Structure formats: C-alpha cells, structure tokens
Amino acid sequence: MDRLTSIWAFIGRHKYLITFALFAVIVGFLDENNLIRRVRYARQESQLREEIEKYRTEYEESTRKLNELTTDSGAIERIARERYLMKKPNEDIYVFENDVKP
C-alpha cells in the first residue's frame, strides 16, 4: 500500500509533465496524422514537385521543337537527315558509330 501511495504522490506532483508527455506520444506516434507520416508526406511532395518541374521543362522543350517544325520547312529535312539517316538520291552518307544516337 505504501508503494501505491508513493506512485500516487509522484503523479500528483508531476501531473502536468505526465500529461504533456502523454500528449506528445499520442500526437507524435499514435495519431492518424503523426509526425512520421508528415515527414514522409513532405518528402513525397518534394519528389513530386521535382517531377512536375522536370515534365514542365520537357513540355516547354517539346513545344519549342513543335513550333520550329511547323514554321521552318528546313527543320523537317534536318531532323530526317540527322535522326533517321535519310538522304537525297545523289548523296552518300558516312555514319560513325559514336555519332548515332539510340
């Protein structure tokens, strides 16, 4: 009984500290929106923002190339020659291995 009384006295003296510690444990680890999930979500959000920026720059580059193809008739010929190794009937093409892009 003496031990129970000493525990109750300890709780009575440190009730605010125990309440705060219990609150911190519940919010930090047991809650639906705990700190671990929030950190994981923040990391995932930053990765998604980086992907968005990458795709935005890719979109802008593709749009620029499309505009170039629609306005410049020589651009289609240049792309056909460089990428698909097409040639005019009276030309010879020399292809080096390190020049060909997969």
Side-chain angles (χ1 to χ4, degrees):
M1 193 68 174
D2 189 38
R3 184 154 173 86
L4 186 62
T5 309
S6 65
I7 292 174
W8 189 253
F10 178 80
I11 291 174
R13 277 181 281 162
H14 302 289
K15 60 185 168 196
Y16 296 112
L17 179 64
I18 293 171
T19 304
F20 179 74
L22 185 63
F23 173 76
V25 167
I26 289 173
V27 171
F29 301 105
L30 303 177
D31 190 34
E32 185 177 308
N33 297 318
N34 61 27
L35 295 176
I36 297 169
R37 281 190 186 155
R38 291 182 63 89
V39 169
R40 192 178 311 141
Y41 290 153
R43 190 177 326 134
Q44 185 179 12
E45 181 184 5
S46 67
Q47 289 174 349
L48 290 174
R49 287 186 188 278
E50 289 173 4
E51 274 188 52
I52 287 171
E53 188 60 35
K54 181 184 81 167
Y55 288 131
R56 182 174 289 135
T57 57
E58 185 178 315
Y59 169 76
E60 289 171 356
E61 179 67 23
S62 297
T63 304
R64 186 190 60 77
K65 285 181 182 180
L66 180 63
N67 288 338
E68 181 181 335
L69 286 174
T70 56
T71 58
D72 186 14
S73 62
I76 296 173
E77 182 180 347
R78 182 172 32 89
I79 289 175
R81 289 172 174 267
E82 291 174 359
R83 191 173 294 165
Y84 301 112
L85 304 176
M86 294 184 169
K87 66 180 188 88
K88 292 182 180 176
N90 58 353
E91 287 182 331
D92 291 329
I93 295 180
Y94 299 98
V95 178
F96 300 102
E97 288 182 17
N98 30 341
D99 287 346
V100 178
K101 297 177 184 175

